[in-house]
Protein backbone atom coordinates (compact mmCIF):
# COMPACT_ATOMS: atom_id res chain seq x y z
CA UNK A 1 0.00 0.00 0.00
CA UNK A 2 1.35 3.39 -1.00
CA UNK A 3 1.07 6.15 1.53
CA UNK A 4 1.18 9.65 0.13
CA UNK A 5 3.08 11.99 2.33
CA UNK A 6 2.92 15.75 2.04
CA UNK A 7 3.83 18.56 4.30
CA UNK A 8 1.22 21.16 5.07
CA UNK A 9 2.41 24.62 4.21
CA UNK A 10 0.73 27.86 3.40
CA UNK A 11 -1.53 27.27 0.42
CA UNK A 12 -0.76 23.59 0.38
CA UNK A 13 -3.68 21.39 -0.51
CA UNK A 14 -4.27 18.00 0.91
CA UNK A 15 -5.68 15.53 -1.53
CA UNK A 16 -6.44 11.97 -0.84
CA UNK A 17 -4.71 9.47 -3.08
CA UNK A 18 -6.06 9.40 -6.60
CA UNK A 19 -9.64 10.35 -7.30
CA UNK A 20 -11.07 11.94 -4.16
CA UNK A 21 -10.40 15.65 -3.90
CA UNK A 22 -10.65 16.72 -0.26
CA UNK A 23 -11.05 20.33 -1.37
CA UNK A 24 -14.65 19.65 -2.43
CA UNK A 25 -15.55 19.21 1.20
CA UNK A 26 -14.46 22.68 2.25
CA UNK A 27 -17.90 24.25 2.04
CA UNK A 28 -19.72 21.70 4.18
CA UNK A 29 -17.04 22.07 6.87
CA UNK A 30 -17.45 25.84 7.02
CA UNK A 31 -21.20 25.46 7.05
CA UNK A 32 -20.84 23.05 9.92
CA UNK A 33 -18.55 25.40 11.83
CA UNK A 34 -20.86 28.35 11.54
CA UNK A 35 -23.94 26.29 12.32
CA UNK A 36 -22.37 24.90 15.48
CA UNK A 37 -21.64 28.35 16.83
CA UNK A 38 -25.21 29.42 16.13
CA UNK A 39 -26.82 26.49 17.86
CA UNK A 40 -25.88 27.42 21.39
CA UNK A 41 -27.44 30.87 21.16
CA UNK A 42 -30.77 29.54 20.00
CA UNK A 43 -33.70 30.00 22.33
CA UNK A 44 -34.47 27.08 24.57
CA UNK A 45 -38.15 27.94 24.07
CA UNK A 46 -40.47 25.05 24.75
CA UNK A 47 -38.47 22.04 23.69
CA UNK A 48 -38.68 20.50 27.18
CA UNK A 49 -42.19 19.81 28.34
CA UNK A 50 -42.42 20.48 32.07
CA UNK A 51 -41.71 17.36 34.08
CA UNK A 52 -43.88 18.44 36.96
CA UNK A 53 -45.36 21.55 38.52
CA UNK A 54 -41.90 22.32 39.89
CA UNK A 55 -40.69 23.30 36.43
CA UNK A 56 -41.82 26.19 34.25
CA UNK A 57 -44.85 26.32 32.01
CA UNK A 58 -44.30 29.60 30.19
CA UNK A 59 -42.54 29.68 26.83
CA UNK A 60 -39.48 31.88 26.97
CA UNK A 61 -37.89 34.00 24.28
CA UNK A 62 -34.52 35.32 25.38
CA UNK A 63 -33.90 39.00 24.69
CA UNK A 64 -31.18 40.10 22.22
CA UNK A 65 -29.11 41.24 25.22
CA UNK A 66 -29.46 37.77 26.70
CA UNK A 67 -28.38 36.07 23.48
CA UNK A 68 -25.36 38.37 23.29
CA UNK A 69 -24.52 37.54 26.90
CA UNK A 70 -24.71 33.82 26.11
CA UNK A 71 -22.16 34.29 23.35
CA UNK A 72 -19.92 36.28 25.68
CA UNK A 73 -20.26 33.49 28.24
CA UNK A 74 -19.29 30.81 25.74
CA UNK A 75 -16.30 32.81 24.58
CA UNK A 76 -15.14 33.44 28.17
CA UNK A 77 -14.46 29.75 28.89
CA UNK A 78 -13.04 30.13 32.36
CA UNK A 79 -14.49 31.40 35.63
CA UNK A 80 -13.78 31.38 39.37
CA UNK A 81 -16.34 29.83 41.70
CA UNK A 82 -16.22 31.17 45.26
CA UNK A 83 -17.92 29.41 48.17
CA UNK A 84 -17.76 31.75 51.11
CA UNK A 85 -19.98 32.08 54.12
CA UNK A 86 -19.95 31.86 57.89
CA UNK A 87 -19.36 28.10 57.62
CA UNK A 88 -15.73 28.94 56.73
CA UNK A 89 -15.23 29.69 60.45
CA UNK A 90 -15.64 25.97 61.26
CA UNK A 91 -13.41 24.92 58.35
CA UNK A 92 -15.42 21.81 57.54
CA UNK A 93 -17.08 22.76 54.28
CA UNK A 94 -20.38 24.46 53.47
CA UNK A 95 -22.52 21.43 54.37
CA UNK A 96 -21.31 21.37 58.00
CA UNK A 97 -24.68 22.45 59.43
CA UNK A 98 -26.41 19.47 57.85
CA UNK A 99 -23.55 16.99 58.16
CA UNK A 100 -22.91 17.65 61.84
CA UNK A 101 -26.62 18.04 62.65
CA UNK A 102 -26.11 21.54 64.06
CA UNK A 103 -29.47 23.08 65.06
CA UNK A 104 -30.23 26.69 64.11
CA UNK A 105 -29.88 27.83 67.73
CA UNK A 106 -26.24 26.67 67.69
CA UNK A 107 -25.46 27.65 64.10
CA UNK A 108 -26.56 31.22 64.83
CA UNK A 109 -23.55 31.51 67.15
CA UNK A 110 -21.20 31.31 64.17
CA UNK A 111 -21.94 34.66 62.43
CA UNK A 112 -20.69 36.67 65.45
CA UNK A 113 -17.33 34.90 64.93
CA UNK A 114 -17.09 35.78 61.23
CA UNK A 115 -14.84 38.81 60.87
CA UNK A 116 -12.81 38.61 57.66
CA UNK A 117 -10.70 41.71 58.23
CA UNK A 118 -8.15 40.52 55.66
CA UNK A 119 -10.71 40.37 52.85
CA UNK A 120 -9.34 42.39 49.96
CA UNK A 121 -11.64 42.16 46.94
CA UNK A 122 -9.02 43.74 44.68
CA UNK A 123 -6.73 40.80 45.47
CA UNK A 124 -9.39 38.20 44.71
CA UNK A 125 -10.34 39.76 41.40
CA UNK A 126 -6.70 40.21 40.40
CA UNK A 127 -6.10 36.55 41.22
CA UNK A 128 -9.02 35.47 39.04
CA UNK A 129 -7.59 37.54 36.21
CA UNK A 130 -4.10 36.15 36.74
CA UNK A 131 -5.65 32.68 36.42
CA UNK A 132 -7.09 33.66 33.04
CA UNK A 133 -10.64 33.69 34.37
CA UNK A 134 -13.22 36.05 32.88
CA UNK A 135 -15.94 35.87 35.50
CA UNK A 136 -16.58 35.12 39.16
CA UNK A 137 -19.54 33.23 40.57
CA UNK A 138 -19.89 33.73 44.32
CA UNK A 139 -22.35 32.33 46.87
CA UNK A 140 -24.77 35.09 47.85
CA UNK A 141 -26.53 32.58 50.11
CA UNK A 142 -25.76 28.87 50.51
CA UNK A 143 -27.97 26.12 51.92
CA UNK A 144 -27.36 27.40 55.48
CA UNK A 145 -29.50 30.41 54.54
CA UNK A 146 -26.95 33.04 55.58
CA UNK A 147 -26.58 35.95 53.14
CA UNK A 148 -23.17 37.54 52.64
CA UNK A 149 -24.84 40.70 51.33
CA UNK A 150 -26.96 43.40 52.95
CA UNK A 151 -30.49 42.04 52.72
CA UNK A 152 -33.47 44.09 53.83
CA UNK A 153 -35.93 41.20 53.71
CA UNK A 154 -33.95 39.42 56.43
CA UNK A 155 -31.48 40.20 59.17
CA UNK A 156 -29.73 36.84 58.71
CA UNK A 157 -26.93 38.48 56.80
CA UNK A 158 -23.36 39.70 57.07
CA UNK A 159 -24.24 43.31 57.85
CA UNK A 160 -26.70 42.55 60.65
CA UNK A 161 -25.18 39.49 62.29
CA UNK A 162 -21.39 39.74 62.04
CA UNK A 163 -18.80 42.07 63.55
CA UNK A 164 -17.55 42.69 60.00
CA UNK A 165 -20.79 44.52 59.13
CA UNK A 166 -19.81 45.19 55.50
CA UNK A 167 -21.66 44.10 52.36
CA UNK A 168 -19.18 41.63 50.86
CA UNK A 169 -20.99 41.41 47.53
CA UNK A 170 -21.03 45.18 47.16
CA UNK A 171 -17.28 45.35 47.75
CA UNK A 172 -16.68 42.54 45.27
CA UNK A 173 -19.08 43.95 42.66
CA UNK A 174 -17.30 47.31 42.70
CA UNK A 175 -13.93 45.67 42.26
CA UNK A 176 -15.15 43.39 39.47
CA UNK A 177 -16.44 46.43 37.61
CA UNK A 178 -13.09 48.19 38.06
CA UNK A 179 -11.08 45.23 36.81
CA UNK A 180 -13.44 44.15 34.03
CA UNK A 181 -14.63 40.81 35.42
CA UNK A 182 -18.27 39.72 35.26
CA UNK A 183 -19.94 38.75 38.50
CA UNK A 184 -22.54 35.99 38.90
CA UNK A 185 -24.38 35.11 42.09
CA UNK A 186 -24.84 31.54 43.25
CA UNK A 187 -28.14 31.46 45.15
CA UNK A 188 -29.41 28.47 47.08
CA UNK A 189 -33.10 27.70 46.70
CA UNK A 190 -32.68 25.20 49.51
CA UNK A 191 -32.64 26.93 52.90
CA UNK A 192 -31.94 25.13 56.20
CA UNK A 193 -32.66 28.24 58.26
CA UNK A 194 -35.86 29.87 57.01
CA UNK A 195 -38.97 28.90 59.02
CA UNK A 196 -41.17 28.84 55.92
CA UNK A 197 -39.01 26.34 54.07
CA UNK A 198 -41.69 23.79 54.83
CA UNK A 199 -42.39 20.96 54.35
CA UNK A 200 -38.73 20.06 54.62
CA UNK A 201 -37.01 18.37 51.72
CA UNK A 202 -34.40 15.64 51.66
CA UNK A 203 -31.86 17.50 53.79
CA UNK A 204 -31.57 19.81 56.78
CA UNK A 205 -33.61 17.69 59.14
CA UNK A 206 -31.62 18.54 62.27
CA UNK A 207 -32.18 22.28 62.14
CA UNK A 208 -34.80 22.18 64.88
CA UNK A 209 -37.46 24.16 63.04
CA UNK A 210 -41.12 23.94 64.09
CA UNK A 211 -43.18 21.55 61.99
CA UNK A 212 -45.08 24.26 60.18
CA UNK A 213 -44.50 27.04 57.69
CA UNK A 214 -45.90 28.82 54.66
CA UNK A 215 -44.11 27.71 51.47
CA UNK A 216 -45.27 30.67 49.38
CA UNK A 217 -43.93 33.02 52.05
CA UNK A 218 -40.53 31.36 51.60
CA UNK A 219 -40.75 31.81 47.82
CA UNK A 220 -41.66 35.49 48.31
CA UNK A 221 -38.63 35.83 50.58
CA UNK A 222 -36.37 34.23 48.00
CA UNK A 223 -37.74 36.48 45.24
CA UNK A 224 -37.20 39.44 47.60
CA UNK A 225 -33.52 38.58 47.99
CA UNK A 226 -33.16 38.01 44.25
CA UNK A 227 -34.72 41.40 43.59
CA UNK A 228 -32.04 42.89 45.86
CA UNK A 229 -29.28 41.01 44.05
CA UNK A 230 -30.59 42.18 40.67
CA UNK A 231 -31.03 45.79 41.84
CA UNK A 232 -28.24 46.77 44.21
CA UNK A 233 -25.08 45.43 42.57
CA UNK A 234 -25.12 46.94 39.09
CA UNK A 235 -25.30 44.81 36.00
CA UNK A 236 -24.55 41.22 36.91
CA UNK A 237 -23.62 38.20 34.80
CA UNK A 238 -26.43 36.02 36.07
CA UNK A 239 -27.83 33.78 38.78
CA UNK A 240 -26.57 30.24 39.47
CA UNK A 241 -29.31 28.38 41.32
CA UNK A 242 -28.75 25.30 43.44
CA UNK A 243 -30.83 23.18 45.81
CA UNK A 244 -33.94 22.57 43.68
CA UNK A 245 -33.16 18.87 44.01
CA UNK A 246 -33.94 19.05 47.73
CA UNK A 247 -37.65 19.21 46.83
CA UNK A 248 -38.00 18.08 43.22
CA UNK A 249 -41.78 17.76 43.52
CA UNK A 250 -42.47 21.13 45.14
CA UNK A 251 -43.99 24.07 43.25
CA UNK A 252 -40.93 26.32 43.02
CA UNK A 253 -42.82 28.98 41.03
CA UNK A 254 -39.82 29.10 38.71
CA UNK A 255 -41.61 30.98 35.94
CA UNK A 256 -42.31 33.89 38.29
CA UNK A 257 -38.77 33.92 39.66
CA UNK A 258 -37.14 33.62 36.24
CA UNK A 259 -39.40 36.38 34.86
CA UNK A 260 -38.46 38.65 37.75
CA UNK A 261 -34.78 38.19 36.92
CA UNK A 262 -35.14 38.61 33.17
CA UNK A 263 -37.38 41.68 33.63
CA UNK A 264 -34.91 43.35 35.98
CA UNK A 265 -31.81 42.49 33.94
CA UNK A 266 -32.54 40.94 30.54
CA UNK A 267 -28.88 40.14 29.93
CA UNK A 268 -28.54 38.19 33.19
CA UNK A 269 -28.08 34.49 32.50
CA UNK A 270 -30.02 31.98 34.56
CA UNK A 271 -28.68 28.52 35.25
CA UNK A 272 -30.09 25.99 37.69
CA UNK A 273 -28.11 23.07 39.07
CA UNK A 274 -31.17 20.81 39.19
CA UNK A 275 -29.31 18.01 37.38
CA UNK A 276 -31.99 17.78 34.67
CA UNK A 277 -32.25 18.93 31.09
CA UNK A 278 -32.71 22.73 31.19
CA UNK A 279 -36.17 24.10 31.93
CA UNK A 280 -37.63 26.94 29.83
CA UNK A 281 -36.46 30.30 31.13
CA UNK A 282 -32.89 29.10 31.69
CA UNK A 283 -29.96 30.43 29.71
CA UNK A 284 -27.13 28.04 30.46
CA UNK A 285 -26.70 24.54 31.81
CA UNK A 286 -24.18 23.50 34.40
CA UNK A 287 -22.67 20.16 35.34
CA UNK A 288 -21.32 19.64 38.82
CA UNK A 289 -18.15 17.58 39.16
CA UNK A 290 -18.65 16.05 35.71
CA UNK A 291 -17.94 17.04 32.15
CA UNK A 292 -21.17 17.51 30.17
CA UNK A 293 -22.80 14.13 29.73
CA UNK A 294 -20.50 12.51 32.30
CA UNK A 295 -22.34 10.59 34.96
CA UNK A 296 -19.59 9.88 37.45
CA UNK A 297 -21.35 11.83 40.21
CA UNK A 298 -24.37 10.01 41.58
CA UNK A 299 -26.61 13.07 41.23
CA UNK A 300 -25.81 13.32 37.51
CA UNK A 301 -27.36 9.96 36.67
CA UNK A 302 -30.45 11.54 35.10
CA UNK A 303 -28.74 14.62 33.65
CA UNK A 304 -29.19 15.21 29.92
CA UNK A 305 -27.40 17.77 27.80
CA UNK A 306 -29.68 20.48 26.37
CA UNK A 307 -29.06 23.12 23.71
CA UNK A 308 -27.85 25.92 25.96
CA UNK A 309 -24.32 27.14 26.66
CA UNK A 310 -22.61 24.71 29.01
CA UNK A 311 -20.49 25.00 32.12
CA UNK A 312 -18.81 22.44 34.29
CA UNK A 313 -17.73 23.18 37.86
CA UNK A 314 -15.07 21.49 39.94
CA UNK A 315 -13.08 21.92 43.12
CA UNK A 316 -9.28 22.19 43.54
CA UNK A 317 -9.32 19.74 46.45
CA UNK A 318 -12.54 17.89 47.35
CA UNK A 319 -14.34 20.73 49.11
CA UNK A 320 -16.36 23.77 48.03
CA UNK A 321 -16.39 25.75 51.27
CA UNK A 322 -13.09 26.02 53.20
CA UNK A 323 -12.13 22.66 54.68
CA UNK A 324 -9.11 22.68 56.96
CA UNK A 325 -8.70 18.90 56.74
CA UNK A 326 -8.74 18.61 52.97
CA UNK A 327 -5.31 18.70 51.40
CA UNK A 328 -6.15 16.48 48.42
CA UNK A 329 -5.17 19.13 45.90
CA UNK A 330 -5.39 18.30 42.23
CA UNK A 331 -2.21 18.97 40.27
CA UNK A 332 -1.83 21.91 37.83
CA UNK A 333 -1.92 19.36 35.06
CA UNK A 334 -5.17 17.76 36.27
CA UNK A 335 -6.86 21.14 36.55
CA UNK A 336 -5.65 22.26 33.12
CA UNK A 337 -6.81 18.98 31.60
CA UNK A 338 -10.25 19.56 33.12
CA UNK A 339 -10.38 23.04 31.61
CA UNK A 340 -9.19 21.83 28.21
CA UNK A 341 -11.55 18.86 28.17
CA UNK A 342 -14.41 21.16 29.16
CA UNK A 343 -13.60 23.42 26.18
CA UNK A 344 -13.55 20.34 23.96
CA UNK A 345 -17.00 19.47 25.32
CA UNK A 346 -18.11 22.98 24.30
CA UNK A 347 -18.30 23.98 27.96
CA UNK A 348 -16.86 26.56 30.32
CA UNK A 349 -14.82 25.57 33.34
CA UNK A 350 -15.81 27.10 36.68
CA UNK A 351 -13.10 26.32 39.21
CA UNK A 352 -13.81 26.73 42.90
CA UNK A 353 -11.99 28.32 45.79
CA UNK A 354 -13.26 28.33 49.36
CA UNK A 355 -11.63 31.32 51.07
CA UNK A 356 -10.54 31.24 54.71
CA UNK A 357 -12.64 32.93 57.40
CA UNK A 358 -9.97 35.66 57.49
CA UNK A 359 -10.77 36.68 53.90
CA UNK A 360 -7.56 35.22 52.45
CA UNK A 361 -7.46 32.58 49.75
CA UNK A 362 -5.22 29.75 50.88
CA UNK A 363 -1.73 29.78 49.32
CA UNK A 364 -2.09 26.30 47.78
CA UNK A 365 -4.98 27.57 45.66
CA UNK A 366 -3.17 30.76 44.72
CA UNK A 367 -0.18 28.78 43.42
CA UNK A 368 -2.40 26.50 41.33
CA UNK A 369 -4.41 29.36 39.87
CA UNK A 370 -1.31 31.29 38.88
CA UNK A 371 0.13 28.23 37.16
CA UNK A 372 -3.09 27.81 35.18
CA UNK A 373 -2.97 31.48 34.23
CA UNK A 374 0.57 31.11 32.90
CA UNK A 375 -0.57 28.29 30.65
CA UNK A 376 -3.57 30.34 29.48
CA UNK A 377 -1.32 33.29 28.65
CA UNK A 378 0.67 31.04 26.33
CA UNK A 379 -2.06 28.87 24.86
CA UNK A 380 -5.30 30.76 25.49
CA UNK A 381 -5.82 31.20 21.74
CA UNK A 382 -6.74 27.54 21.60
CA UNK A 383 -9.36 27.95 24.36
CA UNK A 384 -10.89 31.45 24.52
CA UNK A 385 -13.59 32.14 21.96
CA UNK A 386 -13.58 28.53 20.76
CA UNK A 387 -16.37 25.99 20.52
CA UNK A 388 -16.15 22.24 20.67
CA UNK A 389 -14.23 21.03 17.62
CA UNK A 390 -15.05 18.61 14.81
CA UNK A 391 -13.84 15.51 16.67
CA UNK A 392 -15.96 14.52 19.66
CA UNK A 393 -13.98 14.16 22.91
CA UNK A 394 -11.70 11.13 22.97
CA UNK A 395 -9.67 9.44 25.70
CA UNK A 396 -6.52 10.95 24.13
CA UNK A 397 -7.88 14.50 24.21
CA UNK A 398 -10.27 16.95 22.60
CA UNK A 399 -10.63 19.39 19.74
CA UNK A 400 -11.68 23.04 19.76
CA UNK A 401 -12.31 25.38 16.87
CA UNK A 402 -12.46 29.09 16.18
CA UNK A 403 -12.92 30.70 12.77
CA UNK A 404 -10.77 28.79 10.30
CA UNK A 405 -8.65 27.15 13.00
CA UNK A 406 -9.03 23.69 14.46
CA UNK A 407 -7.04 22.81 17.57
CA UNK A 408 -6.20 19.24 18.52
CA UNK A 409 -5.38 19.06 22.23
CA UNK A 410 -3.40 15.87 22.70
CA UNK A 411 -3.49 15.20 26.43
CA UNK A 412 -2.69 11.54 26.78
CA UNK A 413 -1.01 9.75 23.87
CA UNK A 414 2.16 7.71 23.81
CA UNK A 415 2.58 6.81 20.14
CA UNK A 416 4.21 8.69 17.28
CA UNK A 417 1.16 8.56 15.02
CA UNK A 418 -2.34 9.81 15.79
CA UNK A 419 -5.33 9.51 13.44
CA UNK A 420 -7.09 12.83 12.72
CA UNK A 421 -10.66 11.88 11.89
CA UNK A 422 -13.33 14.22 10.55
CA UNK A 423 -11.02 16.71 8.89
CA UNK A 424 -12.27 17.60 5.46
CA UNK A 425 -11.14 20.30 3.10
CA UNK A 426 -7.95 22.19 2.44
CA UNK A 427 -5.49 22.36 5.29
CA UNK A 428 -3.60 25.60 4.70
CA UNK A 429 -1.13 25.06 7.48
CA UNK A 430 -0.49 22.59 10.25
CA UNK A 431 1.82 23.33 13.14
CA UNK A 432 2.36 22.61 16.81
CA UNK A 433 1.33 25.57 18.91
CA UNK A 434 3.84 24.64 21.64
CA UNK A 435 6.93 24.85 19.45
CA UNK A 436 5.69 26.69 16.37
CA UNK A 437 7.09 23.81 14.28
CA UNK A 438 5.32 22.61 11.17
CA UNK A 439 3.50 19.33 11.59
CA UNK A 440 3.64 16.39 9.23
CA UNK A 441 0.26 15.05 8.28
CA UNK A 442 0.09 11.84 6.33
CA UNK A 443 -2.80 11.17 4.02
CA UNK A 444 -3.30 7.43 4.07
CA UNK A 445 -6.07 7.56 1.52
CA UNK A 446 -8.39 6.36 4.23
CA UNK A 447 -7.89 9.30 6.50
CA UNK A 448 -5.27 11.67 7.87
CA UNK A 449 -2.67 10.74 10.40
CA UNK A 450 -0.52 13.11 12.41
CA UNK A 451 3.14 12.33 12.86
CA UNK A 452 4.40 13.31 16.29
CA UNK A 453 8.19 13.51 16.21
CA UNK A 454 10.18 12.46 19.26
CA UNK A 455 10.44 15.29 21.76
CA UNK A 456 7.29 17.02 20.53
CA UNK A 457 4.97 15.76 23.24
CA UNK A 458 4.27 18.48 25.78
CA UNK A 459 3.78 17.25 29.35
CA UNK A 460 0.43 19.09 29.64
CA UNK A 461 -1.08 19.51 26.18
CA UNK A 462 0.45 18.99 22.76
CA UNK A 463 -1.56 21.34 20.59
CA UNK A 464 -1.82 20.86 16.86
CA UNK A 465 -3.37 23.81 15.07
CA UNK A 466 -4.81 23.36 11.62
CA UNK A 467 -5.59 26.41 9.56
CA UNK A 468 -8.27 25.55 7.07
O1 LIG B 1 -22.50 24.38 46.33
C1 LIG B 1 -21.83 23.16 46.13
C2 LIG B 1 -22.40 22.07 46.97
O2 LIG B 1 -22.58 22.48 48.30
C3 LIG B 1 -23.70 21.82 46.29
N1 LIG B 1 -23.48 22.14 44.91
C4 LIG B 1 -22.13 22.60 44.78
C5 LIG B 1 -21.97 23.56 43.63
C6 LIG B 1 -24.13 20.46 46.48
N2 LIG B 1 -25.08 20.17 47.21
N3 LIG B 1 -25.30 18.90 47.18
N4 LIG B 1 -24.48 18.38 46.40
C7 LIG B 1 -23.71 19.31 45.93
C8 LIG B 1 -24.50 16.98 46.10
C9 LIG B 1 -25.28 16.30 47.12
C10 LIG B 1 -26.40 15.63 46.76
C11 LIG B 1 -27.12 14.94 47.77
FE1 LIG B 1 -28.89 14.19 47.44
C12 LIG B 1 -28.01 15.52 48.66
C13 LIG B 1 -27.06 13.57 48.00
C14 LIG B 1 -28.03 13.30 48.97
C15 LIG B 1 -28.60 14.51 49.38
C16 LIG B 1 -29.63 15.09 45.76
C17 LIG B 1 -30.62 14.94 46.69
C18 LIG B 1 -29.16 13.84 45.43
C19 LIG B 1 -29.85 12.92 46.20
C20 LIG B 1 -30.75 13.62 46.96
Amino acid sequence: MIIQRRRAGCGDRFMSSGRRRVTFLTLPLFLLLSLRSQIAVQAQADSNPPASQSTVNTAYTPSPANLAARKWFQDAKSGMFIHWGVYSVLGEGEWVMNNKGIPISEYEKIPPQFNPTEFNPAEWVALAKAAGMKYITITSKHHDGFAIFDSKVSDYDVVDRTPYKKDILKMLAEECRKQGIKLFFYHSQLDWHHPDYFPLGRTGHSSGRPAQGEWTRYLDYMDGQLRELLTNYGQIGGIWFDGWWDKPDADWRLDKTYKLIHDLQPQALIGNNHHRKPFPGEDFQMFEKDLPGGKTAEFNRDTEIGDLPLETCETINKSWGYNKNDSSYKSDKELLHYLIRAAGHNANFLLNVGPLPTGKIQPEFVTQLRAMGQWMTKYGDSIYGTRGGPVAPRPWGVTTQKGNKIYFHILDWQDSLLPLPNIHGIIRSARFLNTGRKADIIDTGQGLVLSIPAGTIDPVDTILVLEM
Side-chain angles (χ1 to χ4, degrees):
M1 180 171 150
I2 299 168
I3 295 177
Q4 285 201 345
R5 185 175 174 149
R6 297 171 62 114
R7 239 168 228 281
C10 230
D12 234 3
R13 284 169 184 227
F14 270 94
M15 295 167 59
S16 63
S17 54
R19 291 148 301 210
R20 190 165 56 91
R21 270 181 168 270
V22 185
T23 48
F24 288 158
L25 298 172
T26 306
L27 182 61
L29 175 71
F30 279 119
L31 269 178
L32 190 72
L33 290 179
S34 67
L35 269 178
R36 269 193 76 110
S37 52
Q38 295 296 319
I39 287 169
V41 291
Q42 294 296 317
Q44 167 68 21
D46 36 16
S47 54
N48 303 309
S52 74
Q53 59 176 348
S54 54
T55 64
V56 184
N57 297 306
T58 320
Y60 163 57
T61 307
S63 65
N66 191 283
L67 293 176
R70 291 182 190 191
K71 180 174 182 307
W72 178 91
F73 181 75
Q74 287 191 298
D75 289 345
K77 281 290 172 294
S78 173
M80 175 183 273
F81 212 173
I82 303 179
H83 275 70
W84 206 31
V86 294
Y87 42 78
S88 63
V89 169
L90 302 184
E92 296 182 62
E94 76 291 352
W95 270 66
V96 62
M97 179 178 174
N98 178 84
N99 295 353
K100 287 275 162 85
I102 306 174
I104 288 169
S105 54
E106 284 300 309
Y107 200 84
E108 285 192 346
K109 293 176 185 165
I110 303 172
Q113 301 170 52
F114 183 71
N115 192 15
T117 51
E118 292 174 48
F119 171 51
N120 179 349
E123 241 173 59
W124 285 18
V125 178
L127 178 62
K129 287 183 79 165
M133 293 156 162
K134 306 292 185 191
Y135 60 99
I136 289 176
T137 305
I138 186 168
T139 48
S140 45
K141 177 195 86 163
H142 207 270
H143 309 333
D144 66 354
F146 191 84
I148 62 164
F149 62 100
D150 184 14
S151 178
K152 301 298 179 203
V153 298
S154 160
D155 73 344
Y156 201 50
D157 69 51
V158 65
V159 172
D160 295 314
R161 295 279 186 116
T162 76
Y164 192 59
K165 290 192 179 1
K166 290 194 240 173
D167 184 335
I168 286 166
L169 295 191
K170 185 141 271 176
M171 295 164 74
L172 190 61
E174 275 163 18
E175 199 52 48
C176 283
R177 201 155 307 118
K178 266 192 214 156
Q179 297 195 42
I181 284 268
K182 275 204 197 191
L183 184 61
F184 290 67
F185 296 135
Y186 166 111
H187 203 75
S188 174
Q189 294 169 285
L190 161 59
D191 193 311
W192 295 325
H193 181 270
H194 199 283
D196 289 312
Y197 190 91
F198 184 85
L200 298 184
R202 292 163 156 176
T203 64
H205 290 220
S206 310
S207 61
R209 278 172 286 182
Q212 57 189 7
E214 190 61 51
W215 179 241
T216 54
R217 214 156 49 202
Y218 172 69
L219 295 175
D220 290 342
Y221 164 76
M222 188 170 65
D223 286 348
Q225 287 206 325
L226 287 164
R227 180 180 286 283
E228 293 175 333
L229 291 169
L230 272 292
T231 308
N232 299 336
Y233 301 90
Q235 211 179 70
I236 64 162
I239 300 289
W240 206 108
F241 283 110
D242 199 4
W244 177 95
W245 39 258
D246 188 57
K247 294 176 69 160
D249 298 320
D251 179 2
W252 283 99
R253 235 172 47 188
L254 288 184
D255 39 7
K256 186 171 177 191
T257 300
Y258 289 178
K259 184 175 184 315
L260 169 80
I261 295 167
H262 284 139
D263 283 351
L264 287 170
Q265 294 202 20
Q267 89 298 337
L269 301 179
I270 297 175
N272 193 323
N273 189 29
H274 43 50
H275 312 142
R276 307 282 173 97
K277 209 170 166 186
F279 304 151
E282 295 169 4
D283 305 304
F284 69 102
Q285 180 180 12
M286 66 281 268
F287 294 80
E288 177 176 339
K289 288 190 160 290
D290 258 326
L291 290 163
K295 294 178 191 284
T296 64
E298 179 238 329
F299 46 77
N300 284 333
R301 268 186 332 210
D302 302 327
T303 311
E304 274 184 74
I305 304 177
D307 299 328
L308 298 176
L310 307 174
E311 182 190 67
T312 187
C313 59
E314 195 31 297
T315 49
I316 293 180
N317 47 11
K318 289 194 173 129
S319 311
W320 299 99
Y322 172 59
N323 187 332
K324 60 181 187 295
N325 300 313
D326 184 354
S327 55
S328 55
Y329 307 111
K330 297 177 185 69
S331 66
D332 304 352
K333 180 171 164 175
E334 283 175 290
L335 294 173
L336 281 167
H337 278 197
Y338 219 122
L339 165 75
I340 296 160
R341 285 195 191 274
H345 278 79
N346 207 27
N348 289 6
F349 187 53
L350 183 66
L351 181 60
N352 183 73
V353 298
L356 302 165
T358 58
K360 285 287 178 203
I361 293 177
Q362 60 189 100
E364 294 89 348
F365 291 168
V366 174
T367 307
Q368 303 279 65
L369 292 172
R370 290 198 188 284
M372 291 180 77
Q374 278 167 13
W375 187 91
M376 284 295 258
T377 303
K378 277 195 197 155
Y379 303 120
D381 277 352
S382 67
I383 304 288
Y384 296 123
T386 63
R387 299 293 182 271
V391 184
R394 295 280 197 266
W396 55 255
V398 294
T399 57
T400 54
Q401 61 189 13
K402 178 166 56 181
N404 65 340
K405 289 192 178 133
I406 298 173
Y407 301 92
F408 279 75
H409 297 268
I410 305 163
L411 305 174
D412 187 9
W413 190 249
Q414 283 76 44
D415 299 314
S416 59
L417 295 174
L418 176 73
L420 305 181
N422 260 351
I423 302 300
H424 310 291
I426 308 170
I427 299 174
R428 294 188 191 285
S429 86
R431 64 191 166 85
F432 291 104
L433 200 56
N434 316 71
T435 58
R437 276 203 223 126
K438 274 190 181 173
D440 264 352
I441 294 178
I442 304 156
D443 188 340
T444 67
Q446 295 186 319
L448 304 179
V449 171
L450 168 69
S451 164
I452 309 172
T456 306
I457 285 288
D458 180 275
V460 174
D461 181 9
T462 307
I463 307 170
L464 168 72
V465 51
L466 302 182
E467 262 182 71
M468 306 299 290

